[in-house]
Amino acid sequence: MALRVNAAAQRRSNAIQSQLLAARETTGLSRESLSEVLEVSNRTLRDWERRYESPSFTNLLRWAHELGFRLAIVDRQGGPEPPCPTPEDGAPWEVQEIRRLAPPLKSRRLARKISQTDLGLIIGVSRSSLQRWEDGEQLPRLIALIVWADRLDLTVELHPLVEHG
């Protein structure tokens, strides 16, 4: 089964990667410095910034975080961002992030009475993949997260990090 990526989803993915490039340039941080922090090669970061390649979900989260951003799921009708769940002790940071992002997607699916099987067919993934994403057991690629959100009339955005403390 192939992920059903449309032009709008690809543009959204490209826009997020472009926003991260602009954020790096605005801060004056060199590509070399950022690639060192992210533990990827300078060429890899360059390829992400030029949108030749897409980073893994973990690398995307780290890239955004280092530049002061995080991914957010936003209602296209302008509803508020859902509250963040309490971090789980012992769960890796990346897993906590998908567990923060997945609940509004799952809630929207349930509110619309769409089964995991049906939404999986609409997105182009298996029911079991969708279930693992919703349960925070597997990290989707950025484009898959965008397609998943889009099919539920939600969107994925970069929001500035808000430090709690």
Side-chain angles (χ1 to χ4, degrees):
M1 190 174 303
L3 185 66
R4 298 175 192 263
V5 178
N6 61 23
Q10 191 60 58
R11 282 192 304 272
R12 185 77 212 115
S13 179
N14 288 344
I16 288 171
Q17 287 178 246
S18 293
Q19 285 176 274
L20 292 171
L21 166 61
R24 181 186 61 75
E25 291 176 340
T26 298
T27 64
L29 185 63
S30 72
R31 185 179 293 134
E32 293 78 17
S33 297
L34 183 56
S35 64
E36 195 171 298
V37 170
L38 295 176
E39 299 176 349
V40 299
S41 72
N42 186 31
R43 182 177 181 162
T44 295
L45 181 57
R46 183 201 65 200
D47 288 351
W48 295 345
E49 289 180 341
R50 293 181 180 174
R51 298 174 317 281
Y52 296 153
E53 293 182 15
S54 295
S56 68
F57 195 74
T58 298
N59 281 331
L60 177 80
L61 293 173
R62 292 179 64 227
W63 184 17
H65 187 266
E66 287 300 324
L67 294 169
F69 293 93
R70 73 188 315 179
L71 292 177
I73 303 296
V74 178
D75 191 319
R76 287 192 189 146
Q77 281 75 45
E81 184 177 351
C84 296
T86 305
E88 300 173 35
D89 290 330
W93 175 75
E94 297 85 357
V95 171
Q96 291 181 35
E97 281 297 286
I98 192 60
R99 288 180 180 165
R100 179 182 62 80
L101 294 166
L105 295 160
K106 182 176 182 177
S107 292
R108 177 64 62 96
R109 178 184 63 76
L110 292 172
R112 292 190 173 180
K113 297 179 171 50
I114 303 170
S115 71
Q116 285 178 331
T117 299
D118 288 344
L119 185 57
L121 289 170
I122 293 166
I123 294 171
V125 298
S126 68
R127 183 209 54 81
S128 60
S129 288
L130 184 61
Q131 180 179 7
R132 286 191 299 272
W133 294 350
E134 285 187 350
D135 293 343
E137 295 172 3
Q138 181 180 7
L139 305 174
R141 293 193 65 84
L142 173 61
I143 194 69
L145 180 66
I146 291 169
V147 170
W148 180 17
D150 181 65
R151 297 314 185 268
L152 294 168
D153 295 319
L154 299 166
T155 190
V156 179
E157 296 180 357
L158 281 177
H159 283 189
L161 274 174
V162 178
E163 298 296 329
H164 297 77

